[in-house]
mmCIF file of all heavy atoms in Angstrom:
data_model
loop_
_atom_site.group_PDB
_atom_site.id
_atom_site.type_symbol
_atom_site.label_atom_id
_atom_site.label_comp_id
_atom_site.label_asym_id
_atom_site.label_seq_id
_atom_site.Cartn_x
_atom_site.Cartn_y
_atom_site.Cartn_z
ATOM 1 N N HIS A 1 28.254 -33.860 -6.004
ATOM 2 C CA HIS A 1 27.088 -33.173 -6.553
ATOM 3 C C HIS A 1 26.001 -34.222 -6.726
ATOM 4 O O HIS A 1 26.144 -35.138 -7.545
ATOM 5 C CB HIS A 1 27.406 -32.514 -7.896
ATOM 6 C CG HIS A 1 26.230 -31.819 -8.504
ATOM 7 N ND1 HIS A 1 26.028 -31.746 -9.867
ATOM 8 C CD2 HIS A 1 25.190 -31.162 -7.932
ATOM 9 C CE1 HIS A 1 24.920 -31.066 -10.106
ATOM 10 N NE2 HIS A 1 24.391 -30.713 -8.950
ATOM 11 N N VAL A 2 24.945 -34.111 -5.927
ATOM 12 C CA VAL A 2 23.825 -35.043 -6.019
ATOM 13 C C VAL A 2 22.821 -34.485 -7.022
ATOM 14 O O VAL A 2 22.265 -33.401 -6.821
ATOM 15 C CB VAL A 2 23.151 -35.257 -4.652
ATOM 16 C CG1 VAL A 2 21.933 -36.170 -4.800
ATOM 17 C CG2 VAL A 2 24.138 -35.843 -3.654
ATOM 18 N N VAL A 3 22.632 -35.199 -8.112
ATOM 19 C CA VAL A 3 21.653 -34.819 -9.130
ATOM 20 C C VAL A 3 20.358 -35.548 -8.820
ATOM 21 O O VAL A 3 20.287 -36.780 -8.879
ATOM 22 C CB VAL A 3 22.150 -35.183 -10.543
ATOM 23 C CG1 VAL A 3 21.088 -34.825 -11.588
ATOM 24 C CG2 VAL A 3 23.463 -34.473 -10.846
ATOM 25 N N THR A 4 19.338 -34.791 -8.446
ATOM 26 C CA THR A 4 18.059 -35.392 -8.079
ATOM 27 C C THR A 4 17.277 -35.761 -9.329
ATOM 28 O O THR A 4 16.946 -34.897 -10.151
ATOM 29 C CB THR A 4 17.236 -34.434 -7.214
ATOM 30 O OG1 THR A 4 17.995 -34.054 -6.066
ATOM 31 C CG2 THR A 4 15.950 -35.097 -6.747
ATOM 32 N N VAL A 5 16.981 -37.036 -9.474
ATOM 33 C CA VAL A 5 16.238 -37.558 -10.619
ATOM 34 C C VAL A 5 14.777 -37.696 -10.220
ATOM 35 O O VAL A 5 14.476 -38.199 -9.131
ATOM 36 C CB VAL A 5 16.803 -38.935 -11.047
ATOM 37 C CG1 VAL A 5 15.996 -39.529 -12.195
ATOM 38 C CG2 VAL A 5 18.272 -38.795 -11.430
ATOM 39 N N PRO A 6 13.814 -37.250 -11.050
ATOM 40 C CA PRO A 6 12.391 -37.400 -10.707
ATOM 41 C C PRO A 6 12.041 -38.850 -10.406
ATOM 42 O O PRO A 6 12.603 -39.778 -11.008
ATOM 43 C CB PRO A 6 11.672 -36.898 -11.973
ATOM 44 C CG PRO A 6 12.660 -35.987 -12.625
ATOM 45 C CD PRO A 6 14.012 -36.562 -12.338
ATOM 46 N N ASP A 7 11.110 -39.026 -9.481
ATOM 47 C CA ASP A 7 10.746 -40.380 -9.062
ATOM 48 C C ASP A 7 10.290 -41.246 -10.234
ATOM 49 O O ASP A 7 10.513 -42.462 -10.229
ATOM 50 C CB ASP A 7 9.634 -40.325 -8.000
ATOM 51 C CG ASP A 7 10.125 -39.756 -6.682
ATOM 52 O OD1 ASP A 7 11.352 -39.729 -6.477
ATOM 53 O OD2 ASP A 7 9.286 -39.336 -5.865
ATOM 54 N N GLN A 8 9.638 -40.619 -11.206
ATOM 55 C CA GLN A 8 9.110 -41.404 -12.334
ATOM 56 C C GLN A 8 10.177 -41.792 -13.345
ATOM 57 O O GLN A 8 9.909 -42.555 -14.282
ATOM 58 C CB GLN A 8 7.983 -40.633 -13.030
ATOM 59 C CG GLN A 8 8.404 -39.320 -13.673
ATOM 60 C CD GLN A 8 8.292 -38.145 -12.725
ATOM 61 O OE1 GLN A 8 8.337 -38.322 -11.507
ATOM 62 N NE2 GLN A 8 8.126 -36.952 -13.268
ATOM 63 N N THR A 9 11.396 -41.275 -13.180
ATOM 64 C CA THR A 9 12.493 -41.592 -14.092
ATOM 65 C C THR A 9 13.428 -42.606 -13.452
ATOM 66 O O THR A 9 13.938 -42.368 -12.350
ATOM 67 C CB THR A 9 13.298 -40.328 -14.459
ATOM 68 O OG1 THR A 9 12.424 -39.364 -15.041
ATOM 69 C CG2 THR A 9 14.416 -40.657 -15.426
ATOM 70 N N ALA A 10 13.622 -43.735 -14.106
ATOM 71 C CA ALA A 10 14.525 -44.751 -13.576
ATOM 72 C C ALA A 10 15.958 -44.231 -13.582
ATOM 73 O O ALA A 10 16.361 -43.490 -14.484
ATOM 74 C CB ALA A 10 14.432 -46.025 -14.411
ATOM 75 N N LEU A 11 16.705 -44.622 -12.573
ATOM 76 C CA LEU A 11 18.097 -44.179 -12.495
ATOM 77 C C LEU A 11 18.895 -44.681 -13.686
ATOM 78 O O LEU A 11 19.818 -44.008 -14.160
ATOM 79 C CB LEU A 11 18.735 -44.664 -11.192
ATOM 80 C CG LEU A 11 18.189 -44.040 -9.906
ATOM 81 C CD1 LEU A 11 18.909 -44.619 -8.691
ATOM 82 C CD2 LEU A 11 18.330 -42.525 -9.936
ATOM 83 N N GLU A 12 18.536 -45.876 -14.199
ATOM 84 C CA GLU A 12 19.225 -46.404 -15.367
ATOM 85 C C GLU A 12 18.985 -45.514 -16.582
ATOM 86 O O GLU A 12 19.889 -45.258 -17.381
ATOM 87 C CB GLU A 12 18.746 -47.836 -15.669
ATOM 88 C CG GLU A 12 19.103 -48.859 -14.618
ATOM 89 C CD GLU A 12 18.190 -48.815 -13.403
ATOM 90 O OE1 GLU A 12 17.197 -48.040 -13.419
ATOM 91 O OE2 GLU A 12 18.474 -49.541 -12.428
ATOM 92 N N GLU A 13 17.756 -45.009 -16.710
ATOM 93 C CA GLU A 13 17.438 -44.111 -17.820
ATOM 94 C C GLU A 13 18.200 -42.797 -17.666
ATOM 95 O O GLU A 13 18.721 -42.242 -18.633
ATOM 96 C CB GLU A 13 15.939 -43.840 -17.850
ATOM 97 C CG GLU A 13 15.503 -42.891 -18.963
ATOM 98 C CD GLU A 13 14.014 -42.588 -18.914
ATOM 99 O OE1 GLU A 13 13.277 -43.331 -18.218
ATOM 100 O OE2 GLU A 13 13.605 -41.604 -19.551
ATOM 101 N N ALA A 14 18.259 -42.304 -16.437
ATOM 102 C CA ALA A 14 19.001 -41.065 -16.190
ATOM 103 C C ALA A 14 20.482 -41.250 -16.490
ATOM 104 O O ALA A 14 21.127 -40.362 -17.058
ATOM 105 C CB ALA A 14 18.803 -40.623 -14.744
ATOM 106 N N ALA A 15 21.018 -42.421 -16.111
ATOM 107 C CA ALA A 15 22.431 -42.692 -16.366
ATOM 108 C C ALA A 15 22.721 -42.735 -17.860
ATOM 109 O O ALA A 15 23.792 -42.329 -18.312
ATOM 110 C CB ALA A 15 22.840 -44.009 -15.709
ATOM 111 N N ALA A 16 21.737 -43.195 -18.639
ATOM 112 C CA ALA A 16 21.928 -43.270 -20.087
ATOM 113 C C ALA A 16 21.970 -41.889 -20.717
ATOM 114 O O ALA A 16 22.492 -41.708 -21.824
ATOM 115 C CB ALA A 16 20.798 -44.082 -20.710
ATOM 116 N N ASN A 17 21.426 -40.889 -20.014
ATOM 117 C CA ASN A 17 21.430 -39.518 -20.516
ATOM 118 C C ASN A 17 22.415 -38.641 -19.746
ATOM 119 O O ASN A 17 22.222 -37.436 -19.617
ATOM 120 C CB ASN A 17 20.028 -38.909 -20.407
ATOM 121 C CG ASN A 17 19.040 -39.599 -21.321
ATOM 122 O OD1 ASN A 17 19.279 -39.708 -22.523
ATOM 123 N ND2 ASN A 17 17.951 -40.084 -20.765
ATOM 124 N N ARG A 18 23.459 -39.258 -19.256
ATOM 125 C CA ARG A 18 24.397 -38.518 -18.405
ATOM 126 C C ARG A 18 25.191 -37.470 -19.170
ATOM 127 O O ARG A 18 25.734 -36.549 -18.582
ATOM 128 C CB ARG A 18 25.376 -39.477 -17.733
ATOM 129 C CG ARG A 18 24.759 -40.221 -16.565
ATOM 130 C CD ARG A 18 25.813 -40.828 -15.679
ATOM 131 N NE ARG A 18 26.629 -39.799 -15.030
ATOM 132 C CZ ARG A 18 27.414 -40.048 -13.987
ATOM 133 N NH1 ARG A 18 27.500 -41.263 -13.496
ATOM 134 N NH2 ARG A 18 28.141 -39.085 -13.453
ATOM 135 N N ALA A 19 25.251 -37.577 -20.471
ATOM 136 C CA ALA A 19 25.993 -36.579 -21.243
ATOM 137 C C ALA A 19 25.435 -35.187 -20.984
ATOM 138 O O ALA A 19 26.181 -34.222 -20.787
ATOM 139 C CB ALA A 19 25.934 -36.908 -22.726
ATOM 140 N N ARG A 20 24.105 -35.082 -20.940
ATOM 141 C CA ARG A 20 23.484 -33.786 -20.662
ATOM 142 C C ARG A 20 23.683 -33.404 -19.196
ATOM 143 O O ARG A 20 24.011 -32.270 -18.877
ATOM 144 C CB ARG A 20 21.983 -33.849 -21.000
ATOM 145 C CG ARG A 20 21.245 -32.563 -20.646
ATOM 146 C CD ARG A 20 19.771 -32.702 -20.976
ATOM 147 N NE ARG A 20 19.188 -33.856 -20.303
ATOM 148 C CZ ARG A 20 18.779 -33.816 -19.030
ATOM 149 N NH1 ARG A 20 18.926 -32.719 -18.318
ATOM 150 N NH2 ARG A 20 18.233 -34.883 -18.479
ATOM 151 N N ILE A 21 23.485 -34.362 -18.308
ATOM 152 C CA ILE A 21 23.621 -34.096 -16.878
ATOM 153 C C ILE A 21 25.056 -33.729 -16.539
ATOM 154 O O ILE A 21 25.316 -32.814 -15.758
ATOM 155 C CB ILE A 21 23.172 -35.334 -16.073
ATOM 156 C CG1 ILE A 21 21.675 -35.575 -16.265
ATOM 157 C CG2 ILE A 21 23.496 -35.170 -14.596
ATOM 158 C CD1 ILE A 21 21.188 -36.867 -15.666
ATOM 159 N N ASP A 22 25.990 -34.468 -17.129
ATOM 160 C CA ASP A 22 27.394 -34.281 -16.786
ATOM 161 C C ASP A 22 27.904 -32.883 -17.120
ATOM 162 O O ASP A 22 28.802 -32.378 -16.462
ATOM 163 C CB ASP A 22 28.259 -35.324 -17.477
ATOM 164 C CG ASP A 22 28.221 -36.660 -16.762
ATOM 165 O OD1 ASP A 22 27.691 -36.712 -15.642
ATOM 166 O OD2 ASP A 22 28.710 -37.639 -17.330
ATOM 167 N N ARG A 23 27.347 -32.254 -18.161
ATOM 168 C CA ARG A 23 27.826 -30.925 -18.523
ATOM 169 C C ARG A 23 27.589 -29.947 -17.381
ATOM 170 O O ARG A 23 28.471 -29.171 -17.014
ATOM 171 C CB ARG A 23 27.128 -30.439 -19.800
ATOM 172 C CG ARG A 23 27.708 -31.021 -21.074
ATOM 173 C CD ARG A 23 27.268 -30.206 -22.278
ATOM 174 N NE ARG A 23 25.824 -30.252 -22.465
ATOM 175 C CZ ARG A 23 25.190 -31.175 -23.188
ATOM 176 N NH1 ARG A 23 25.886 -32.144 -23.772
ATOM 177 N NH2 ARG A 23 23.887 -31.143 -23.322
ATOM 178 N N THR A 24 26.396 -30.008 -16.808
ATOM 179 C CA THR A 24 26.085 -29.122 -15.688
ATOM 180 C C THR A 24 26.894 -29.503 -14.461
ATOM 181 O O THR A 24 27.473 -28.653 -13.783
ATOM 182 C CB THR A 24 24.587 -29.185 -15.364
ATOM 183 O OG1 THR A 24 23.841 -28.806 -16.521
ATOM 184 C CG2 THR A 24 24.236 -28.272 -14.207
ATOM 185 N N SER A 25 26.926 -30.787 -14.169
ATOM 186 C CA SER A 25 27.641 -31.251 -12.986
ATOM 187 C C SER A 25 29.140 -31.026 -13.121
ATOM 188 O O SER A 25 29.805 -30.609 -12.168
ATOM 189 C CB SER A 25 27.354 -32.746 -12.766
ATOM 190 O OG SER A 25 27.853 -33.175 -11.522
ATOM 191 N N ASP A 26 29.671 -31.291 -14.317
ATOM 192 C CA ASP A 26 31.105 -31.106 -14.537
ATOM 193 C C ASP A 26 31.524 -29.653 -14.331
ATOM 194 O O ASP A 26 32.587 -29.375 -13.763
ATOM 195 C CB ASP A 26 31.495 -31.567 -15.937
ATOM 196 C CG ASP A 26 31.523 -33.085 -16.069
ATOM 197 O OD1 ASP A 26 31.406 -33.758 -15.023
ATOM 198 O OD2 ASP A 26 31.652 -33.571 -17.201
ATOM 199 N N ASP A 27 30.699 -28.725 -14.791
ATOM 200 C CA ASP A 27 31.022 -27.309 -14.614
ATOM 201 C C ASP A 27 31.070 -26.948 -13.130
ATOM 202 O O ASP A 27 31.970 -26.239 -12.671
ATOM 203 C CB ASP A 27 29.989 -26.431 -15.329
ATOM 204 C CG ASP A 27 30.110 -26.496 -16.839
ATOM 205 O OD1 ASP A 27 31.159 -26.975 -17.324
ATOM 206 O OD2 ASP A 27 29.157 -26.072 -17.525
ATOM 207 N N LEU A 28 30.086 -27.441 -12.377
ATOM 208 C CA LEU A 28 30.028 -27.145 -10.945
ATOM 209 C C LEU A 28 31.214 -27.755 -10.210
ATOM 210 O O LEU A 28 31.861 -27.103 -9.379
ATOM 211 C CB LEU A 28 28.713 -27.674 -10.368
ATOM 212 C CG LEU A 28 28.410 -27.358 -8.904
ATOM 213 C CD1 LEU A 28 28.357 -25.858 -8.672
ATOM 214 C CD2 LEU A 28 27.089 -28.011 -8.489
ATOM 215 N N LEU A 29 31.536 -29.006 -10.531
ATOM 216 C CA LEU A 29 32.642 -29.681 -9.850
ATOM 217 C C LEU A 29 33.994 -29.121 -10.279
ATOM 218 O O LEU A 29 34.925 -29.055 -9.470
ATOM 219 C CB LEU A 29 32.575 -31.185 -10.123
ATOM 220 C CG LEU A 29 31.356 -31.893 -9.520
ATOM 221 C CD1 LEU A 29 31.369 -33.374 -9.893
ATOM 222 C CD2 LEU A 29 31.306 -31.730 -8.008
ATOM 223 N N ALA A 30 34.101 -28.692 -11.543
ATOM 224 C CA ALA A 30 35.356 -28.076 -11.992
ATOM 225 C C ALA A 30 35.615 -26.779 -11.244
ATOM 226 O O ALA A 30 36.754 -26.479 -10.855
ATOM 227 C CB ALA A 30 35.303 -27.818 -13.497
ATOM 228 N N ALA A 31 34.563 -26.000 -11.010
ATOM 229 C CA ALA A 31 34.713 -24.766 -10.237
ATOM 230 C C ALA A 31 35.130 -25.087 -8.804
ATOM 231 O O ALA A 31 35.957 -24.381 -8.210
ATOM 232 C CB ALA A 31 33.403 -23.986 -10.243
ATOM 233 N N ALA A 32 34.584 -26.172 -8.254
ATOM 234 C CA ALA A 32 34.944 -26.568 -6.891
ATOM 235 C C ALA A 32 36.410 -26.975 -6.808
ATOM 236 O O ALA A 32 37.105 -26.641 -5.843
ATOM 237 C CB ALA A 32 34.047 -27.716 -6.434
ATOM 238 N N VAL A 33 36.886 -27.692 -7.808
ATOM 239 C CA VAL A 33 38.300 -28.094 -7.836
ATOM 240 C C VAL A 33 39.194 -26.864 -7.899
ATOM 241 O O VAL A 33 40.218 -26.776 -7.213
ATOM 242 C CB VAL A 33 38.574 -29.034 -9.023
ATOM 243 C CG1 VAL A 33 40.064 -29.257 -9.198
ATOM 244 C CG2 VAL A 33 37.866 -30.377 -8.801
ATOM 245 N N ASP A 34 38.814 -25.889 -8.717
ATOM 246 C CA ASP A 34 39.593 -24.657 -8.819
ATOM 247 C C ASP A 34 39.648 -23.943 -7.474
ATOM 248 O O ASP A 34 40.705 -23.451 -7.052
ATOM 249 C CB ASP A 34 38.996 -23.731 -9.873
ATOM 250 C CG ASP A 34 39.223 -24.233 -11.294
ATOM 251 O OD1 ASP A 34 40.101 -25.102 -11.476
ATOM 252 O OD2 ASP A 34 38.518 -23.769 -12.209
ATOM 253 N N ASP A 35 38.519 -23.869 -6.785
ATOM 254 C CA ASP A 35 38.479 -23.191 -5.490
ATOM 255 C C ASP A 35 39.266 -23.963 -4.433
ATOM 256 O O ASP A 35 39.920 -23.372 -3.573
ATOM 257 C CB ASP A 35 37.033 -23.009 -5.030
ATOM 258 C CG ASP A 35 36.292 -21.971 -5.856
ATOM 259 O OD1 ASP A 35 36.929 -21.008 -6.309
ATOM 260 O OD2 ASP A 35 35.077 -22.126 -6.052
ATOM 261 N N ALA A 36 39.204 -25.290 -4.493
ATOM 262 C CA ALA A 36 39.918 -26.114 -3.519
ATOM 263 C C ALA A 36 41.420 -26.038 -3.695
ATOM 264 O O ALA A 36 42.182 -26.338 -2.764
ATOM 265 C CB ALA A 36 39.455 -27.569 -3.619
ATOM 266 N N ALA A 37 41.885 -25.610 -4.877
ATOM 267 C CA ALA A 37 43.324 -25.524 -5.136
ATOM 268 C C ALA A 37 44.006 -24.505 -4.227
ATOM 269 O O ALA A 37 45.229 -24.533 -4.069
ATOM 270 C CB ALA A 37 43.570 -25.170 -6.597
ATOM 271 N N ALA A 38 43.232 -23.614 -3.619
ATOM 272 C CA ALA A 38 43.800 -22.611 -2.718
ATOM 273 C C ALA A 38 44.246 -23.215 -1.393
ATOM 274 O O ALA A 38 44.922 -22.541 -0.611
ATOM 275 C CB ALA A 38 42.782 -21.496 -2.468
ATOM 276 N N PHE A 39 43.900 -24.476 -1.150
ATOM 277 C CA PHE A 39 44.180 -25.094 0.145
ATOM 278 C C PHE A 39 45.156 -26.254 -0.012
ATOM 279 O O PHE A 39 45.206 -26.910 -1.053
ATOM 280 C CB PHE A 39 42.871 -25.585 0.781
ATOM 281 C CG PHE A 39 41.883 -24.478 0.980
ATOM 282 C CD1 PHE A 39 40.918 -24.203 0.015
ATOM 283 C CD2 PHE A 39 41.931 -23.685 2.105
ATOM 284 C CE1 PHE A 39 40.016 -23.166 0.177
ATOM 285 C CE2 PHE A 39 41.041 -22.639 2.281
ATOM 286 C CZ PHE A 39 40.088 -22.379 1.317
ATOM 287 N N ASP A 40 45.906 -26.479 1.039
ATOM 288 C CA ASP A 40 46.892 -27.556 1.038
ATOM 289 C C ASP A 40 46.214 -28.858 1.428
ATOM 290 O O ASP A 40 46.428 -29.411 2.512
ATOM 291 C CB ASP A 40 48.024 -27.218 2.011
ATOM 292 C CG ASP A 40 49.160 -28.239 1.948
ATOM 293 O OD1 ASP A 40 49.203 -29.008 0.967
ATOM 294 O OD2 ASP A 40 49.983 -28.263 2.880
ATOM 295 N N ALA A 41 45.360 -29.334 0.535
ATOM 296 C CA ALA A 41 44.623 -30.579 0.766
ATOM 297 C C ALA A 41 44.216 -31.147 -0.585
ATOM 298 O O ALA A 41 43.721 -30.402 -1.441
ATOM 299 C CB ALA A 41 43.390 -30.337 1.634
ATOM 300 N N PRO A 42 44.417 -32.430 -0.824
ATOM 301 C CA PRO A 42 43.983 -33.025 -2.089
ATOM 302 C C PRO A 42 42.467 -32.999 -2.206
ATOM 303 O O PRO A 42 41.748 -32.986 -1.201
ATOM 304 C CB PRO A 42 44.515 -34.457 -2.009
ATOM 305 C CG PRO A 42 44.722 -34.722 -0.565
ATOM 306 C CD PRO A 42 45.057 -33.418 0.075
ATOM 307 N N VAL A 43 41.968 -32.997 -3.438
ATOM 308 C CA VAL A 43 40.529 -32.924 -3.667
ATOM 309 C C VAL A 43 40.114 -33.980 -4.678
ATOM 310 O O VAL A 43 40.836 -34.272 -5.634
ATOM 311 C CB VAL A 43 40.126 -31.511 -4.153
ATOM 312 C CG1 VAL A 43 40.859 -31.139 -5.431
ATOM 313 C CG2 VAL A 43 38.613 -31.400 -4.343
#
């Protein structure tokens, strides 16, 4: 999941606020893991 950070925001600053970002990203990736469980392939 590529989280696009505005050009004016440093990546270091965005990383420091990952708690907020991670909630959205974690939900999306958790759903992907659940869907991938239907297949015989590690994820």
